[in-house]
């Protein structure tokens, strides 16, 4: 973790150094850009000042160039022309000139101004002076009462002598304010002018500024040069550095230095603010990353501890499990084994098995009992037979793919089933013995019973006394009961062994149900019970199925209800559950008013045995194979069987039985065959199925 922290903070220092280099370069580029921008701007203004200086005097001379001003005060036409020229000049230099006047050597004077208030009308005055104003023979800029006047001598065209002066009132501050107005950005950039006296005559910043190192600017007066220089300044009492670009230019006999300045601390503050923001955000991000990694490592450490604990527990489970455990890789090299597996494979201990090859599963032919008897349930690979000095052991094998010590592996779970196999073989022998016993019973017992029944039929032909006839009848009934019991046992055994085969033949359902009804009526002669049987109209007349087994089911269940009901009512109903695609599901409902049973007793009666002692609500019932056989036959015919008590016919008495069977439709399919196109016997295609008729 300490190494990670060193790496993280080293990365942080590198980020800080990169930020410092980047923002220093950005600051230098920004200073260079602002300096170049100020240079371009001051040159634009300087050129404009030079143009004004060069054209001002020339344009002022053009006012009187083509007109003889000597007739200005006596000739209205000359006055109008000269006045229009003055107005044109005034309009051109209205940002520099505040007024124009003309006076001659006869104490006459004319002045022209423009009203500063809208709509800006012209103000003209003509008057006679009390004393003659001084007439200057040359161009001259005169400073009087903080106002600058530019005097231009005017010649008399006739005498070629100086007849007066044309005077323009100059306002330098107004001029500089006008030309600097488009470039003034207040806090970011401002302009100022140094006059020929070395003083600042104009400054458009709104702050109180004291410029330091002003000699760097005043030394440029009269040099007609341009460039840039760093300056210091105190702005509102705070020292700061300035970027300044200057342009030295004359204007109407005066020398000026035009200066554009901008503060460097604005860029410094901007860059410092952004860099600090990035540094803080970077620091916070690094702290968050450190925290996340710290939490992650804590979770990972807990997970590693848990995995170590799980690994140790797994090894302990492998060692302590009562079955053989072998873990091998893809090359079948054993990576881990426990003591049970070592004992199974006759090794001294489990460490001796590591590195050995796990043998392929094989079963010799003489012991290949599983492939013959369990092939439908288990695969041959699921069993391992290991020969021992005395006998053999049988292992049930289950393979599970696992990840062990970082590589794909397989865990073999080996369960010793030798005792179970022995028990299974004993059971198989018992089944064979049972089969032989049933076959012998079928031959040895049923044959004498059939002989006894035959003999009773012979005795009926003799004229026997009533006492003897009653004995013969009792003998025949007892023999038939015993034969039915033997038949039920044989059928029950066939079902258990899976050898019961159902017929699929057409039969009349209602005839079979009627036969069962008549058979049950013979057993109800000495009871006070009514039997009602009904078949729904939508039940088909003829179906395909096993009529004998259906008759056996209905008869067994009816006989059970007759025995269970001393008096009352028995109802049997047959209904159609479904008829889809030729498959018919028939439903039967049998209700009686006899004895009632709890659910455990019903399961016992119908063959669903439970591990508890079931007590009937009423005594006297007889439990036999017929009901169990009926339920098994229903399930064999693809149906469902359900019994509950009471039946619902009479209070809490009786049993309600519901079951279904699956049969097939015997309706003939109507075939719509068109024979119109048949012209030859070869065009007739038929399928004929035949067989021996017995």
């Amino acid at each position: 973790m300490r190494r990670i922290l060193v790496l993280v903070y080293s990365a942080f220092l590198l980020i800080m150094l990169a930020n410092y280099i980047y923002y220093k370069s950005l600051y230098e580029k920004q200073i260079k850009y602002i300096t170049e921008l100020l240079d371009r701007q001051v040159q634009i203004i300087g050129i404009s000042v030079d143009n004004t200086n060069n054209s001002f005097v020339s344009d002022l001379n053009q006012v009187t160039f083509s007109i003889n001003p000597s007739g200005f005060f006596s000739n209205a036409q000359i006055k109008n022309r000269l006045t229009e020229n003055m107005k044109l000049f005034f309009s051109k230099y209205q940002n520099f000139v505040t007024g124009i006047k003309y006076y001659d050597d006869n104490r006459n004077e004319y002045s022209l101004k423009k009203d500063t208030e809208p709509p800006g009308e012209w103000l003209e005055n003509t008057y006679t002076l009390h004393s003659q104003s001084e007439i200057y023979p040359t161009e001259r800029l005169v400073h009087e009462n903080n106002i600058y006047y530019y005097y231009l001598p005017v010649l008399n065209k006739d005498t070629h002598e100086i007849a007066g002066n044309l005077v323009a009132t100059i306002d330098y501050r107004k001029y500089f304010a006008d030309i600097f107005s488009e470039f003034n950005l207040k806090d970011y950039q401002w302009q100022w002018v140094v006059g020929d006296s070395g003083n600042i005559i104009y400054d458009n910043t709104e702050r109180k500024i004291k410029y330091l190192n002003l000699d760097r600017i005043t030394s440029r007066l009269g040099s007609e040069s341009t460039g840039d220089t760093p300056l210091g300044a105190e702005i509102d009492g705070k020292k700061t550095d300035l970027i300044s670009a200057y342009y030295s230019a004359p204007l109407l006999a005066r020398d000026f230095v035009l200066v554009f300045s901008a503060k460097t601390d604005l860029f410094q503050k901007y860059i410092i603010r952004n860099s600090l923001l990035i540094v803080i955000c970077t620091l916070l991000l690094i702290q968050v990353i450190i925290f996340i990694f710290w939490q992650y490592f804590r979770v990972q450490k807990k997970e590693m501890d848990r995995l170590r604990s799980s690994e140790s527990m797994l090894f302990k489970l492998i060692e302590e499990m009562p079955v053989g455990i072998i873990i091998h890789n893809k090359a079948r090299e054993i990576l881990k084994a426990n003591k049970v597996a070592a004992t199974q494979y006759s090794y001294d201990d489990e460490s001796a098995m590591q590195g050995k090859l796990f043998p392929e599963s094989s079963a010799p032919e003489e012991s290949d009992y599983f492939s013959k008897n369990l092939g439908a349930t288990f695969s041959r690979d699921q069993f391992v037979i290991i020969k021992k000095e005395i006998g053999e052991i049988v292992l049930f094998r289950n393979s599970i793919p696992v990840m062990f010590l970082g590589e794909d592996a397989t865990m073999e779970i080996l369960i010793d089933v030798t005792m179970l196999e022995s028990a299974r073989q004993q059971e198989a022998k018992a089944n064979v013995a049972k089969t032989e016993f049933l076959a012998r019973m079928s031959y040895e017992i049923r044959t004498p019973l059939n002989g006894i029944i035959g003999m009773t039929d012979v005795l009926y032909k003799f004229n026997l006394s009533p006492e003897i006839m009653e004995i013969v009848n009792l003998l025949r009934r007892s023999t038939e009961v015993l034969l039915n019991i033997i038949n039920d046992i044989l059928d029950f055994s066939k079902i258990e062994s899976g050898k019961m085969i159902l017929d699929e033949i057409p039969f009349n359902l209602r005839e079979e149900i009627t036969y069962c009804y008549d058979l049950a009526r013979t057993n109800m002669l000495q009871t006070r019970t009514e039997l009602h049987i009904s078949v729904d109209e939508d039940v088909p007349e003829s179906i395909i199925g096993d009529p004998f087994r259906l008759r056996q089911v209905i008869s067994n269940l009816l006989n059970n209800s007759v025995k269970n009901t001393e008096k009352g009512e028995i109802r049997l109903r047959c209904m159609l559950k479904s008829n889809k695609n030729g498959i018919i599901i028939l439903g039967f409902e049998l209700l009686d008013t006899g004895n009632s049973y709890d659910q455990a007793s019903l399961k016992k009666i119908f063959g669903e045995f439970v591990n508890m002692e079931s007590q009937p609500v009423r005594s006297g019932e007889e439990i036999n194979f017929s009901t169990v056989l009926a339920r098994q036959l229903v399930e064999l015919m693809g149906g469902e069987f359900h019994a509950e008590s009471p039946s619902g016919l009479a209070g809490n008495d009786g049993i309600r039985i519901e079951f279904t069977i699956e049969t097939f439709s015997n309706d003939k399919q109507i075939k719509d065959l068109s024979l119109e196109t048949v012209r030859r016997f070869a065009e007739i295609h038929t399928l004929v199925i035949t067989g021996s008729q017995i």
Side-chain angles (χ1 to χ4, degrees):
M1 186 62 191
R2 182 179 300 174
R3 183 180 299 176
I4 294 175
L5 290 176
V6 170
L7 291 175
V8 170
Y9 283 111
S10 298
F12 173 73
L13 292 176
L14 288 176
I15 292 173
M16 295 300 99
L17 180 60
N19 274 305
Y20 171 76
I21 295 173
Y22 170 74
Y23 281 108
K24 182 179 179 182
S25 174
L26 180 63
Y27 174 74
E28 292 175 352
K29 290 180 180 179
Q30 191 70 18
I31 293 297
K32 182 179 179 181
Y33 168 75
I34 296 299
T35 302
E36 292 176 354
L37 178 64
L38 295 178
D39 284 339
R40 287 196 300 269
Q41 291 177 347
V42 77
Q43 287 179 18
I44 292 171
I45 295 301
I47 292 172
S48 176
V49 171
D50 288 339
N51 291 335
T52 301
N53 183 57
N54 294 331
S55 63
F56 185 86
V57 177
S58 175
D59 290 340
L60 188 59
N61 282 320
Q62 289 295 325
V63 173
T64 60
F65 180 74
S66 60
I67 302 172
N68 189 358
S70 60
F72 180 84
F73 295 101
S74 58
N75 190 329
Q77 184 177 1
I78 293 174
K79 182 178 181 180
N80 290 335
R81 291 179 60 191
L82 191 58
T83 300
E84 288 299 322
N85 288 344
M86 289 182 183
K87 290 180 179 180
L88 290 174
F89 176 81
F90 192 99
S91 298
K92 183 177 181 180
Y93 296 96
Q94 60 182 345
N95 63 336
F96 191 21
V97 177
T98 59
I100 295 179
K101 68 179 179 179
Y102 170 70
Y103 63 91
D104 60 8
D105 53 359
N106 292 323
R107 293 183 293 116
N108 296 313
E109 184 173 309
Y110 169 80
S111 64
L112 176 67
K113 292 184 179 182
K114 196 171 186 179
D115 192 358
T116 57
E117 299 295 331
E121 297 180 351
W122 293 103
L123 303 177
E124 302 180 52
N125 289 313
T126 303
Y127 44 88
T128 301
L129 301 174
H130 294 287
S131 60
Q132 179 64 47
S133 298
E134 181 180 0
I135 297 175
Y136 292 98
T138 59
E139 298 176 6
R140 180 175 299 184
L141 183 66
V142 178
H143 185 206
E144 296 179 357
N145 299 324
N146 293 326
I147 298 175
Y148 287 90
Y149 300 96
Y150 187 81
Y151 288 85
L152 180 68
V154 177
L155 296 177
N156 187 331
K157 303 295 183 183
D158 296 333
T159 62
H160 300 287
E161 295 179 355
I162 296 175
N165 286 128
L166 187 62
V167 183
T169 306
I170 306 301
D171 189 344
Y172 286 98
R173 291 186 60 83
K174 179 182 178 182
Y175 174 70
F176 290 129
D178 183 70
I179 62 175
F180 289 146
S181 60
E182 296 181 1
F183 300 95
N184 183 16
L185 299 178
K186 296 183 180 179
D187 293 338
Y188 298 97
Q189 175 183 318
W190 69 93
Q191 297 78 35
W192 47 290
V193 181
V194 178
D196 48 8
S197 61
N199 298 324
I200 299 173
I201 65 171
Y202 175 79
D203 193 334
N204 61 7
T205 183
E206 297 179 356
R207 295 185 176 184
K208 184 179 180 180
I209 300 178
K210 179 183 179 182
Y211 295 97
L212 306 177
N213 311 111
L214 195 58
D215 56 330
R216 296 180 182 179
I217 298 299
T218 57
S219 62
R220 305 298 178 181
L221 286 168
S223 63
E224 297 185 6
S225 61
T226 183
D228 56 78
T229 182
L231 292 178
E234 290 185 3
I235 301 177
D236 297 332
K238 296 181 180 180
K239 287 187 177 182
T240 185
D241 294 328
L242 302 180
I243 306 171
S244 297
Y246 62 86
Y247 189 99
S248 177
L251 182 59
L252 297 183
R254 295 188 66 188
D255 291 325
F256 298 98
V257 179
L258 313 177
V259 186
F260 278 60
S261 295
K263 294 192 298 183
T264 60
D265 61 350
L266 291 176
F267 313 113
Q268 292 175 348
K269 290 178 180 179
Y270 171 77
I271 291 174
I272 291 173
R273 183 171 61 250
N274 286 352
S275 62
L276 284 177
L277 180 62
I278 291 178
V279 168
I280 293 173
C281 291
T282 304
L283 183 59
L284 290 176
L285 180 61
I286 289 176
Q287 293 296 331
V288 170
I289 292 174
I290 292 173
F291 177 76
I292 292 174
F293 271 100
W294 183 266
Q295 293 295 326
Y296 174 76
F297 286 131
R298 288 183 60 188
V299 173
Q300 288 296 105
K301 186 176 182 300
K302 290 182 179 179
E303 184 66 17
M304 291 177 65
D305 293 340
R306 188 185 67 82
L307 290 177
R308 291 192 189 97
S309 176
S310 299
E311 187 179 79
S312 61
M313 183 179 67
L314 175 62
F315 288 158
K316 187 174 181 180
L317 284 175
I318 291 175
E319 293 295 334
E320 300 297 332
M321 285 184 69
V323 297
I325 301 294
I326 296 177
I327 301 176
H328 61 83
N329 57 18
K330 292 182 178 179
R332 304 188 70 82
E333 294 178 354
I334 297 176
L335 304 176
K336 180 70 177 176
N338 65 353
K339 294 179 180 179
V340 176
T343 302
Q344 291 171 346
Y345 280 89
S346 301
Y347 282 90
D348 294 335
D349 54 28
E350 62 272 19
S351 60
M353 297 186 69
Q354 293 185 6
K356 301 292 192 299
L357 292 179
F358 181 70
E360 296 284 350
S361 61
S362 61
E365 294 182 358
E366 61 270 21
S367 300
D368 196 9
Y369 187 84
F370 306 106
S371 61
K372 296 178 181 178
N373 298 278
L374 301 178
T377 307
F378 301 99
S379 66
R380 183 172 180 174
D381 293 338
Q382 288 182 275
F383 291 93
V384 178
I385 299 177
I386 302 176
K387 291 290 186 179
K388 297 288 185 178
E389 293 181 359
I390 301 176
E392 61 185 18
I393 63 172
V394 182
L395 304 178
F396 179 76
R397 169 189 174 191
N398 189 16
S399 301
I400 303 174
V402 296
M403 181 69 68
F404 186 77
L405 299 179
E407 64 175 316
D408 293 332
T410 302
M411 177 185 289
E412 304 287 351
I413 302 176
L414 304 172
I415 304 173
D416 191 347
V417 294
T418 305
M419 299 299 294
L420 295 177
E421 171 59 15
S422 299
R424 189 185 63 79
Q425 291 178 357
Q426 294 295 329
E427 183 182 359
K429 293 179 181 179
N431 288 333
V432 172
K434 183 180 70 172
T435 302
E436 293 177 354
F437 169 74
L438 291 176
R440 182 174 295 276
M441 185 177 64
S442 175
Y443 177 76
E444 298 291 343
I445 299 179
R446 291 175 67 179
T447 301
L449 288 177
N450 288 328
I452 295 173
I453 293 174
M455 290 301 101
T456 56
D457 291 339
V458 173
L459 291 175
Y460 282 137
K461 296 179 180 180
F462 293 93
N463 188 12
L464 302 175
S465 64
E467 293 81 2
I468 301 299
M469 182 62 68
E470 184 178 354
I471 294 173
V472 172
N473 289 334
L474 180 61
L475 176 63
R476 181 179 179 85
R477 285 198 302 271
S478 299
T479 306
E480 288 178 348
V481 169
L482 181 59
L483 184 62
N484 288 334
I485 292 174
I486 293 174
N487 289 335
D488 287 344
I489 293 174
L490 291 175
D491 288 341
F492 184 75
S493 177
K494 287 182 180 179
I495 293 175
E496 280 194 336
S497 61
K499 296 181 180 179
M500 175 70 75
I501 299 175
L502 299 178
D503 291 334
E504 291 185 357
I505 59 175
F507 67 93
N508 191 301
L509 177 63
R510 287 173 172 79
E511 289 181 359
E512 294 297 330
I513 294 176
T514 302
Y515 177 82
C516 294
Y517 171 79
D518 294 337
L519 188 61
R521 291 290 298 173
T522 59
N523 298 326
M524 297 171 58
L525 297 177
Q526 298 179 357
T527 63
R528 293 174 294 172
T529 306
E530 295 182 1
L531 176 61
H532 302 283
I533 294 179
S534 63
V535 180
D536 291 353
E537 294 182 357
D538 56 351
V539 175
E541 190 75 20
S542 177
I543 57 176
I544 296 175
D546 192 331
F548 174 75
R549 297 303 176 188
L550 177 60
R551 185 192 313 161
Q552 191 175 6
V553 169
I554 298 175
S555 297
N556 288 352
L557 295 178
L558 281 175
N559 289 334
N560 179 71
S561 294
V562 170
K563 294 177 183 179
N564 188 51
T565 308
E566 297 178 358
K567 62 178 180 179
E569 181 183 3
I570 300 174
R571 291 183 184 179
L572 174 65
R573 178 190 173 195
C574 177
M575 66 202 79
L576 179 66
K577 289 288 186 179
S578 67
N579 186 356
K580 295 181 180 179
N581 301 324
I583 299 176
I584 297 175
I585 305 297
L586 295 177
F588 293 86
E589 184 181 52
L590 178 62
L591 302 93
D592 61 49
T593 58
N595 297 334
S596 60
Y597 299 85
D598 59 15
Q599 193 64 26
S601 298
L602 288 176
K603 289 182 178 181
K604 183 178 179 181
I605 293 172
F606 294 101
E608 300 179 26
F609 295 98
V610 294
N611 295 326
M612 61 180 293
E613 185 179 359
S614 303
Q615 296 294 336
V617 177
R618 297 179 183 177
S619 60
E621 77 280 3
E622 181 181 352
I623 300 174
N624 51 40
F625 282 110
S626 61
T627 54
V628 178
L629 181 62
R631 181 186 64 82
Q632 292 187 348
L633 286 175
V634 167
E635 294 174 352
L636 190 63
M637 288 189 286
E640 296 178 355
F641 187 92
H642 175 70
E644 62 181 15
S645 180
S647 64
L649 284 179
N652 295 324
D653 295 332
I655 300 176
R656 178 191 184 95
I657 300 174
E658 293 180 344
F659 66 92
T660 61
I661 62 171
E662 182 179 297
T663 60
F664 302 95
S665 175
N666 194 32
D667 295 337
K668 294 183 178 180
Q669 298 291 333
I670 300 175
K671 300 176 182 177
D672 186 11
L673 300 177
S674 177
L675 304 178
E676 297 178 356
T677 59
V678 178
R679 296 291 184 268
R680 296 176 301 174
F681 284 105
E683 296 177 353
I684 300 176
H685 301 281
T686 61
L687 174 64
V688 178
I689 300 176
T690 185
S692 60
Q693 302 295 326
I694 299 176

